[in-house]
């Protein structure tokens, strides 16, 4: 159902909570007693059946009853207000309706307003903390009741475009949107995601401060839900501008030899790269190298965006395979590229539109196809795919795949162009760039 | 003067009788002058007589009566004119005088000499063998499977042989039914084999056209056009072998059928591109030879073409449905036009 709920629904029962080294049980008890009243359970209620269909946590951040929670907790109610509504439940069982005030889809945050403000609210602190600082995450895992989980702050994750706090503590389904407190009771982050085995992620509280400031600029009676598509589109545009912009502004992409050419290697820390030999058949040698971002931006149910992926496949047939046989295999590989298009469903995006051609580049002829599809609710946003197949090189096949989800027209074109231009003849010496380790260039 | 009776049974088998002695008795009994083997005809059904220069017909107590030119007649005597059609039971009898005019002679149409060629047994099995060899050669050259192609080669060749034999069988059965004992099985085999040979060769040409033109409208048109013509030719040939249709009707039937099938294939393909597809559909054909004929662009020109992909009307065809279409909610709350 919700991304992080379902993934770990099972894990929640398997995992036991282990207090982190720095924390003492007394500390958690004191914090919960002092601040627990500001934390609420957020329920998504199906209007037709009046049954809850998702759960999360939220916490009051202002005197007038604004709650902070995760975007993915409220997304269904935001996109389908006639189908789902939101309510809060306090730890004493007081309930009331919630209205959506503002969301930050990029950092998975939402601000909702309580029907009747509670008496207690939490102060927002900072995420600029020394490594090892004790943090206490509060939430309602699996509807079991409110829980406080001790853990430690372990800095910001660096291997993705969205930098979240790496929290060593058990965040479980249902705790999404809950606060992670410092000893002084100030919020350092918001529970958002778990990687299992006591590895959790928190949204740095600074993003919540930004969102709160943005919300305060809006007119008091502004109907956010009615204009959500515009806001989301703007946020997506800004986010891809910063992410793709970060890639493009780097004038020196790592270049690595692969197959008959030099290709972009590990060009940014937000990407992870690996490569291997494909052993599905012994009739030809197949090598691949792939780099992709770890970001997977949740828009609404079944619709994700934000991935950047590039991949090279290098094929050399064995002697007992004829050239025509090899090309029928090669054509088949080119027709079914190894990239994920499952990020969107019918209704979310249009079909791909493609432009195919031949280019002469890096000393070879290539058959190239550039494909885009438009997001129906956010018409300035596209998924872009670029495919290149080397031709005329005899018993050698080389396919380049580049995929960028959720990008603007300008960035789609600029990234594709830069990428093609970074494919260079193998002889050209790029001695100024030392090869970084772990990029897996073979061939 | 003589009177000629043309008797047609329900299967349109025709027999001619010529009489100068009257009366002429017609019925199922064997003592009639014209014996009609039709269960709906009475033993003594009609009698035709001459009165001066005129001929008359009278019912001689039949069970089912009769009609003249579709008009039912009672037992009263009726005068006959040359060309009248009597219908008794399921048997028709045309009455003619010897000077009755006949239709103009039709020119005898000779079939193309190809039909003579494919009637020769040696040619039949040679073309069949060539078709199978070409199929095998195509499969041997191009099919690639991860663990060797032995099975694929056999099954592809066997399928080709099966298609030819099936086509010939269907048409020779049809021919046997319509032309009576003229099955022409061998000629059908030869015809189908020739078409398969042509289509194999055309396949190579077509895949290079696809490759070099990146599946543009021209290669689509060539593919559809060629297949339509080949199918039309095959249908015309099969109709010639299996029926006695006049030339114009054969052309019309073959053209209509092949154009109809091509149009429905085109329609089906067009409609399927309007359905939602998560996968991009692009020109993926790659060929190992003739790549130097490919018209290459500069990267800049390619990117300029890509830019025009973003034009507003590119996505119109599939952009209609909204996310509300797949949610249960009846109301769509999004009004984005009013505010910015």
């Amino acid at each position: 159902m919700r991304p992080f709920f379902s993934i770990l629904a099972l894990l929640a029962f398997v995992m036991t909570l282990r207090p982190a080294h720095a924390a003492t049980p007394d500390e958690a008890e004191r914090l919960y007693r002092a601040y627990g009243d500001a934390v609420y359970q957020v329920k998504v209620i199906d209007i037709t059946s009046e049954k809850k269909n998702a759960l999360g946590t939220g916490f009051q951040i202002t005197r007038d009853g604004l709650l902070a929670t995760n975007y993915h907790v409220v997304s269904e109610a935001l996109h389908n207000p006639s189908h789902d509504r939101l309510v809060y439940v306090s730890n004493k069982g007081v309930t009331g309706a919630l209205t959506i005030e503002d969301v930050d889809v990029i950092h998975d945050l939402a601000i909702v307003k309580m029907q009747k403000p509670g008496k207690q609210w939490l102060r927002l602190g900072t995420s600029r903390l020394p490594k090892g600082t004790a943090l206490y995450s509060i939430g309602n895992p699996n509807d079991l009741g409110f829980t406080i989980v001790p853990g430690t702050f372990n800095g910001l994750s660096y291997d993705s475009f969205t930098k979240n706090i790496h929290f060593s503590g058990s965040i479980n389904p249902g705790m999404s949107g809950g606060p992670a407190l410092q000893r002084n009771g100030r919020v350092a982050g918001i529970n958002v995601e778990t990687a299992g085995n006591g590895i959790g992620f928190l949204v740095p509280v600074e993003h919540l401060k930004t969102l709160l400031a943005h919300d305060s600029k809006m007119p008091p009676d502004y109907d956010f839900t009615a204009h959500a598509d515009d806001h989301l589109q703007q946020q997506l545009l800004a986010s891809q501008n910063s992410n793709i912009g970060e890639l493009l502004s780097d004038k020196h992409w790592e270049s690595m030899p692969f197959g008959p050419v030099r290709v972009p290697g590990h060009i940014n820390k937000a990407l992870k790269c690996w490569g291997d030999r494909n052993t599905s058949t012994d009739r030809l040698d197949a090598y691949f190298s792939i780099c992709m971002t770890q970001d997977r931006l949740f828009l609404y149910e079944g619709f994700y965006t934000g991935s950047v992926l590039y991949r090279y496949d290098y094929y050399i047939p064995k002697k007992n395979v004829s050239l025509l046989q090899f090309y029928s295999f090669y054509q088949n590989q080119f027709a079914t590229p190894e990239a994920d298009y499952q990020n969107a469903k019918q209704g979310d995006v249009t079909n791909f539109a493609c432009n195919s051609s031949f280019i002469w580049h890096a000393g070879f002829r290539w058959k190239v196809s550039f494909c885009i599809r438009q997001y129906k609710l956010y018409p300035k946003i596209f998924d872009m795919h670029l495919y290149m197949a080397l031709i005329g090189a005899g018993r050698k096949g080389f396919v380049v795949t580049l995929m960028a989800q959720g990008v603007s027209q300008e960035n789609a074109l600029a990234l594709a162009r830069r990428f093609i231009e970074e494919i260079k003849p193998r002889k050209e010496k790029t001695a100024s760039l030392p090869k970084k380790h772990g990029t897996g260039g073979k061939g | 003067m003589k009177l000629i009776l043309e008797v047609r049974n329900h299967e349109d088998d025709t027999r001619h009788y010529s009489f100068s002695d009257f009366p002429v008795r017609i019925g199922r009994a064997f003592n009639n002058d014209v014996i009609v083997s039709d269960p709906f005809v009475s033993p003594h059904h009609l009698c035709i007589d001459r009165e001066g220069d005129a001929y008359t017909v009278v019912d001689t107590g039949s069970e089912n009566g009769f009609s003249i030119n579709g008009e039912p007649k009672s037992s009263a005597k009726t005068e006959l004119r040359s060309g009248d059609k009597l219908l008794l039971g399921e048997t028709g009898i045309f009455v003619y005088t010897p000077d009755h005019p006949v239709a103009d002679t039709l020119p005898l149409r000779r079939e193309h000499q190809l039909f003579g060629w494919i009637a020769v047994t040696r040619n039949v099995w040679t073309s069949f063998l060539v078709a199978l060899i070409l199929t095998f050669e195509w499969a041997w050259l191009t099919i690639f499977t991860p663990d060797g192609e032995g099975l694929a080669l056999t099954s592809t060749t066997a399928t080709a042989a099966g298609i030819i034999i099936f086509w010939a069988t269907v048409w020779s059965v049809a021919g046997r039914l319509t032309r009576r004992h003229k099955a022409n099985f061998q000629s059908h085999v030869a015809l189908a084999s020739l078409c398969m040979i042509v289509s194999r060769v055309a396949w190579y040409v077509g895949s290079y056209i696809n490759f070099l033109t990146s599946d543009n409208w021209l290669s689509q048109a060539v593919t559809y056009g060629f297949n339509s013509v080949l199918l039309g030719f095959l249908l015309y040939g099969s109709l010639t072998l299996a029926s006695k249709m006049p030339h114009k009707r054969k052309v019309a039937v073959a053209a209509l059928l092949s154009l109809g099938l091509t149009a429905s294939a085109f329609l089906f393909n067009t409609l399927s591109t309007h359905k939602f597809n998560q996968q991009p559909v692009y020109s993926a054909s790659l060929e190992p030879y003739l790549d130097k004929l490919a018209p290459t662009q500069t990267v800049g020109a390619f990117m300029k073409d890509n830019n025009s992909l973003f034009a507003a009307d590119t996505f119109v065809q599939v952009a209609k449905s909204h996310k509300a279409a797949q949610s249960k909610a009846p109301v769509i709350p999004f009004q984005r036009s009013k505010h910015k």
Side-chain angles (χ1 to χ4, degrees):
Chain A
M1 196 185 310
R2 296 303 171 282
F4 313 122
F5 299 28
S6 50
I7 297 164
L8 283 180
L10 262 179
L11 265 179
F13 296 96
V14 180
M15 286 186 347
T16 47
L17 303 184
R18 253 177 252 151
H21 314 292
T24 62
D26 292 358
E27 195 73 4
E29 189 215 338
R30 178 186 68 78
L31 276 168
Y32 186 74
R33 203 168 354 97
Y35 302 105
D37 285 354
V39 182
Y40 295 83
Q41 186 179 37
V42 177
K43 281 186 180 178
V44 186
I45 307 278
D46 181 289
I47 288 174
T48 320
S49 64
E50 280 301 316
K51 292 268 162 35
K52 61 177 187 272
N53 68 21
L55 295 172
T57 304
F59 54 98
Q60 196 173 337
I61 49 173
T62 58
R63 179 196 293 272
D64 59 347
L66 292 184
L67 281 191
T69 184
N70 282 143
Y71 164 76
H72 74 254
V73 173
V74 303
S75 77
E76 227 32 37
L78 181 66
H79 288 96
N80 253 330
S82 56
H83 191 243
D84 287 303
R85 64 187 178 87
L86 296 169
V87 295
Y88 61 88
V89 186
S90 80
N91 57 4
K92 300 191 174 62
V94 180
T95 70
L98 289 170
T99 46
I100 299 170
E101 286 276 307
D102 207 344
V103 302
D104 177 351
V105 68
I106 309 301
H107 301 103
D108 200 353
L109 290 175
I111 292 179
V112 288
K113 185 155 195 166
M114 303 165 75
Q115 194 175 20
K116 200 173 160 229
K119 290 197 182 76
Q120 198 183 29
W121 63 95
L122 299 178
R123 301 273 179 81
L124 303 184
T126 176
S127 68
R128 280 180 217 105
L129 299 168
K131 199 163 186 162
T133 307
L135 293 179
Y136 300 83
S137 166
I138 307 179
N140 195 334
N142 296 324
D143 209 10
L144 291 170
F146 286 99
T147 309
I148 182 159
V149 180
T152 47
F153 173 90
N154 272 301
L156 296 181
S157 56
Y158 58 85
D159 60 347
S160 61
F161 283 123
T162 27
K163 305 318 192 234
N164 280 338
I165 297 170
H166 173 197
F167 172 72
S168 302
S170 295
I171 296 178
N172 284 317
M175 291 174 74
S176 285
L181 305 178
Q182 288 171 254
R183 277 214 184 86
N184 61 10
R186 299 227 168 182
V187 178
I190 298 92
N191 306 336
V192 67
E193 192 179 359
T194 167
N197 288 326
I199 300 173
F201 290 99
L202 312 171
V203 181
V205 72
E206 284 75 16
H207 296 305
L208 181 57
K209 288 180 181 171
T210 312
L211 184 63
L212 193 58
H214 179 259
D215 180 51
S216 65
K217 279 184 214 142
M218 290 207 268
D221 57 346
Y222 185 76
D223 183 0
F224 182 84
T225 307
H227 310 120
D229 290 352
D230 284 338
H231 286 275
L232 260 60
Q233 171 159 283
Q234 272 173 25
Q235 292 174 10
L236 289 169
L237 278 173
S239 159
Q240 60 87 35
N241 255 335
S242 114
N243 296 344
I244 306 296
E246 186 184 326
L247 296 182
L248 292 176
S249 65
D250 182 355
K251 292 285 172 252
H252 299 287
W253 281 5
E254 186 197 287
S255 177
M256 66 173 190
F258 196 85
V261 286
R262 298 188 68 86
V263 290
H266 190 195
I267 61 171
N268 190 288
K269 275 188 173 174
L271 294 140
K272 275 193 175 142
C273 297
W274 66 96
D276 203 352
R277 210 188 135 166
N278 192 335
T279 53
S280 60
T281 172
D282 57 3
R283 305 194 65 200
L284 41 82
D285 289 321
Y287 306 95
F288 71 90
S289 170
I290 181 169
C291 293
M292 63 188 294
T293 58
Q294 306 306 299
D295 296 74
R296 201 161 173 255
L297 196 63
F298 173 82
L299 287 175
Y300 48 86
E301 199 177 328
F303 190 14
Y304 294 83
T305 185
S307 277
V308 174
L309 173 152
Y310 49 91
R311 176 183 171 116
Y312 317 105
D313 286 276
Y314 182 35
Y315 307 106
I316 311 155
K318 295 275 173 66
K319 282 206 177 92
N320 63 353
V321 178
S322 78
L323 189 57
L324 279 167
Q325 277 182 313
F326 172 60
Y327 259 73
S328 80
F329 164 84
Y330 185 31
Q331 171 174 306
N332 200 26
Q333 295 301 112
F334 185 47
T336 50
E338 311 228 9
D340 177 21
Y341 309 108
Q342 313 289 315
N343 61 312
K345 308 182 304 297
Q346 181 165 17
D348 304 336
V349 287
T350 66
N351 275 5
F352 277 106
C354 297
N355 173 39
S356 298
S357 182
F358 295 93
I359 57 170
W360 174 262
H361 183 68
F364 289 103
R365 263 193 186 75
W366 304 79
K367 183 148 194 173
V368 281
S369 280
F370 178 87
C371 301
I372 44 166
R373 64 180 178 191
Q374 190 178 33
Y375 289 15
K376 287 182 181 173
L377 286 180
Y378 321 113
K380 288 178 184 167
I381 311 278
F382 303 87
D383 283 346
M384 180 275 279
H385 299 273
L386 171 75
Y387 308 109
M388 301 173 63
L390 185 77
I391 53 170
R395 298 169 70 84
K396 263 183 206 161
F398 192 74
V399 176
V400 177
T401 309
L402 168 67
M403 160 179 118
Q405 294 170 351
V407 291
S408 68
Q409 174 176 355
E410 294 73 28
N411 281 326
L413 291 167
L415 185 64
R417 183 176 195 133
R418 173 78 186 274
F419 204 87
I420 297 174
E421 282 166 358
E422 292 281 344
I423 297 171
K424 293 168 182 166
R426 201 163 166 148
K427 283 170 207 153
E428 195 180 274
K429 288 273 176 275
T430 47
S432 59
L433 294 166
K435 191 174 176 300
K436 289 172 202 168
H437 60 88
T439 48
K442 282 181 192 175
Chain B
M1 202 160 76
K2 281 187 182 174
L3 187 71
I4 291 99
L5 298 184
E6 183 181 294
V7 182
R8 286 189 180 196
N9 69 10
H10 66 284
E11 284 183 326
D12 254 12
D13 281 342
T14 312
R15 287 189 72 179
H16 289 94
Y17 300 86
S18 164
F19 294 100
S20 37
D21 295 334
F22 291 88
V24 173
R25 284 165 304 154
I26 302 168
R28 199 152 43 82
F30 296 113
N31 58 358
N32 282 296
D33 299 307
V34 176
I35 302 158
V36 180
S37 302
D38 180 338
F40 305 104
V41 169
S42 300
H44 298 279
H45 204 115
L46 290 180
C47 183
I48 295 175
D49 206 351
R50 181 159 67 182
E51 291 176 9
D53 280 346
Y55 297 96
T56 58
V57 61
V58 70
D59 193 314
T60 49
S62 74
E63 186 85 11
N64 293 323
F66 75 107
S67 66
I68 301 179
N69 298 332
E71 227 175 286
K73 292 291 166 187
S74 62
S75 55
K77 234 182 218 182
T78 312
E79 194 170 318
L80 287 172
R81 274 167 302 163
S82 182
D84 278 350
K85 182 193 179 186
L86 316 174
L87 184 69
L88 45 156
E90 287 184 342
T91 304
I93 298 179
F94 290 82
V95 182
Y96 298 113
T97 53
D99 52 1
H100 193 90
V102 292
D104 291 341
T105 313
L106 286 174
L108 181 62
R109 205 190 145 70
R110 289 190 194 285
E111 295 302 347
H112 193 271
Q113 59 189 27
L114 175 72
F115 292 97
W117 191 86
I118 59 174
V120 180
T121 309
R122 187 188 53 207
N123 296 342
V124 170
W125 300 109
T126 309
S127 49
F128 182 63
L129 214 63
V130 170
L132 293 195
I133 289 171
L134 268 179
T135 306
F136 181 84
E137 172 261 12
W138 165 80
W140 180 70
L141 280 179
T142 58
I143 292 182
F144 176 89
T145 52
D147 358 282
E149 292 82 28
L151 192 67
L153 293 185
T154 321
S155 69
T156 312
T157 317
T159 308
I163 288 171
I164 293 173
I165 299 294
F166 178 75
W167 179 270
T169 308
V170 167
W171 278 97
S172 52
V173 167
R176 225 183 126 84
L177 292 177
T178 56
R179 286 186 75 170
R180 267 168 247 131
H181 310 298
K182 284 212 79 179
N184 277 334
F185 177 76
Q186 289 202 354
S187 299
H188 282 295
V189 169
L191 190 69
S193 303
L194 289 180
C195 287
M196 186 162 280
I197 292 168
V198 173
S199 77
R200 275 286 161 246
V201 175
W203 184 88
Y204 281 110
V205 178
S207 52
Y208 268 95
I209 293 179
N210 280 351
F211 167 58
L212 293 174
T213 61
S214 300
D215 294 312
N216 68 6
W217 64 268
L218 178 75
S219 78
Q220 299 276 325
V222 167
T223 311
Y224 279 109
F226 177 80
N227 285 331
S228 163
V229 168
L230 186 67
L231 183 64
F233 169 76
L234 180 62
L235 284 169
Y236 178 86
S238 300
L239 282 172
T240 306
L241 291 171
S243 78
K244 277 185 163 176
M245 264 188 206
H247 174 68
K248 273 185 186 167
R249 202 190 294 172
K250 272 188 297 195
V251 171
V253 168
L256 269 177
L257 271 176
S258 72
L259 284 179
L261 284 171
T262 312
S264 24
F266 177 75
L267 208 67
F268 179 79
N269 284 344
T270 312
L271 286 180
S272 65
T273 63
H274 285 251
K275 271 177 147 178
F276 179 67
N277 186 357
Q278 273 181 324
Q279 296 293 118
V281 179
Y282 55 97
S283 164
S285 55
L286 300 174
E287 296 293 336
Y289 307 112
L290 300 185
D291 58 280
K292 288 189 177 60
L293 293 182
T296 51
Q297 281 184 305
T298 61
V299 176
F302 174 59
M303 292 314 294
K304 204 173 165 191
D305 288 350
N306 293 339
N307 188 37
S308 57
L309 265 191
F310 290 87
D313 59 342
T314 303
F315 305 103
V316 170
Q317 46 175 356
V318 280
K320 280 175 221 145
S321 65
H322 193 271
K323 83 178 166 190
Q326 32 107 34
S327 79
K328 285 170 252 162
V331 188
I332 304 154
F334 295 100
Q335 300 286 331
R336 97 174 54 146
S337 50
K338 289 180 196 158
H339 303 266
K340 267 279 160 212

